[in-house]
Amino acid sequence: LFVLAVSLLVHSLTWVWVNADMGRGVRFLDRVRRVDCHTGDGKVQLGYLLKVHGYIEESTRQNLLVQGNKKYRAFLNIGKTYWEKSMPDSSFYYCRKIFEQDLSGIPFSLSGCILFSIAYDSMEKPDSAAIFFLEMKSKNLDPGAPDLHFWTGSMNYLADSLYNRQITEQPRNEDLIMFYLRYFTLTEEEKNLDLVYRHILANKFEVKAWLKFLGFATVCGQKDYLEPLTKEALRQHPDFLSVSRGHLDRGEW
């Protein structure tokens, strides 16, 4: 049935393109013939072909059919498609639909880290988003330019529409601060990143928050900030080293 549905879809779209533009229709048909629509890769590829020709709803349907370890990639592609169409609400909606999927047994991936980070940030859960960002960094994974553009663009949108107001109202909220540490690390805006660290050093935090900041700087290779962060944590909490050891033993940082 799936093969029949795809065949009918390709036939109908090709008829339109052949009648409107013979060369365009033939090129599309030639590319589709190379796609194995039984695989996750094939469905993702077909979704991409439909997207570049402007058939967004059909592209979305194909990506939603993806199973297995390409599921993260498919949902990320849907979110990115709507983002490129300047439809942020739809973009975040489809990113969050990954939570409705059965992910048991599916190995995690770079696409998964990006997808869950965007989804959690859009749900005002920057603490959860940080977990997936640090997972990516700890494995030395680097997003490609299109994914990075979508990721930083979505964070910039959420900062303007949501998080800028919150950080003004809660300047010592460590999860909001971590949002900006992640954002400026992704965009490689060193001056703004330095301002965030200066903000941290100028404020008082609990031991657990200092562990978050130190953990972030360590995983992201921001070594210049490790010593000043440790010194300020010790100044505020003379027993920081012994107390933090207990947190680390329990996996809390």
Side-chain angles (χ1 to χ4, degrees):
L1 287 175
F2 172 74
V3 174
L4 176 61
V6 171
S7 298
L8 289 173
L9 168 67
V10 171
H11 176 77
S12 61
L13 293 180
T14 304
W15 184 89
V16 172
W17 288 328
V18 166
N19 282 273
D21 181 341
M22 177 69 75
R24 187 182 180 197
V26 171
R27 285 194 300 272
F28 174 77
L29 184 58
D30 182 61
R31 293 182 71 181
V32 170
R33 281 177 179 148
R34 302 168 190 264
V35 176
D36 181 358
C37 294
H38 292 88
T39 67
D41 275 328
K43 293 185 180 74
V44 169
Q45 189 177 353
L46 180 57
Y48 172 76
L49 290 173
L50 290 165
K51 183 193 84 167
V52 297
H53 285 89
Y55 288 83
I56 304 305
E57 291 185 5
E58 289 298 337
S59 172
T60 299
R61 290 192 188 99
Q62 290 304 313
N63 277 297
L64 288 174
L65 291 171
V66 173
Q67 300 296 319
N69 61 3
K70 294 298 178 181
K71 190 171 287 190
Y72 301 123
R73 179 77 256 166
F75 277 85
L76 186 62
N77 283 349
I78 298 172
K80 190 160 50 178
T81 295
Y82 283 97
W83 183 261
E84 292 168 356
K85 288 290 184 181
S86 300
M87 301 170 68
D89 290 340
S90 296
S91 175
F92 296 141
Y93 168 80
Y94 280 107
C95 284
R96 292 193 292 265
K97 283 186 76 67
I98 194 64
F99 295 117
E100 301 173 11
Q101 308 302 305
D102 178 12
L103 303 174
S104 57
I106 300 179
F108 219 60
S109 65
L110 173 59
S111 297
C113 290
I114 299 171
L115 179 65
F116 278 108
S117 186
I118 293 173
Y120 275 119
D121 273 333
S122 73
M123 295 166 66
E124 299 185 54
K125 295 182 177 180
D127 53 334
S128 297
I131 294 172
F132 294 95
F133 177 90
L134 292 171
E135 174 76 7
M136 178 194 75
K137 283 293 185 180
S138 67
K139 293 181 177 178
N140 294 315
L141 302 174
D142 293 312
D147 288 344
L148 185 61
H149 178 74
F150 173 37
W151 199 356
T152 56
S154 68
M155 292 188 78
N156 181 64
Y157 175 87
L158 291 168
D160 288 343
S161 62
L162 189 66
Y163 288 113
N164 284 347
R165 172 182 52 78
Q166 292 187 10
I167 196 67
T168 300
E169 297 170 352
Q170 307 172 58
R172 292 173 54 216
N173 184 316
E174 65 263 28
D175 293 324
L176 293 177
I177 292 170
M178 288 283 282
F179 172 87
Y180 287 94
L181 286 175
R182 288 187 287 118
Y183 178 42
F184 294 129
T185 296
L186 272 179
T187 58
E188 299 182 346
E189 296 179 54
E190 294 184 5
K191 288 185 178 180
N192 286 328
L193 182 65
D194 186 67
L195 287 174
V196 177
Y197 275 116
R198 288 177 182 274
H199 173 82
I200 293 170
L201 293 168
N203 284 278
K204 188 172 183 178
F205 296 97
E206 297 298 324
V207 169
K208 198 171 178 179
W210 285 109
L211 284 172
K212 284 184 180 181
F213 302 144
L214 280 163
F216 184 92
T218 300
V219 172
C220 295
Q222 296 163 353
K223 299 178 181 179
D224 291 345
Y225 297 103
L226 293 176
E227 184 177 346
L229 287 171
T230 303
K231 284 183 176 179
E232 183 58 25
L234 283 168
R235 190 189 70 79
Q236 294 183 17
H237 305 279
D239 59 348
F240 175 71
L241 294 179
S242 60
V243 174
S244 63
R245 194 169 294 116
H247 283 288
L248 291 172
D249 290 342
R250 294 190 296 274
E252 300 171 352
W253 67 276

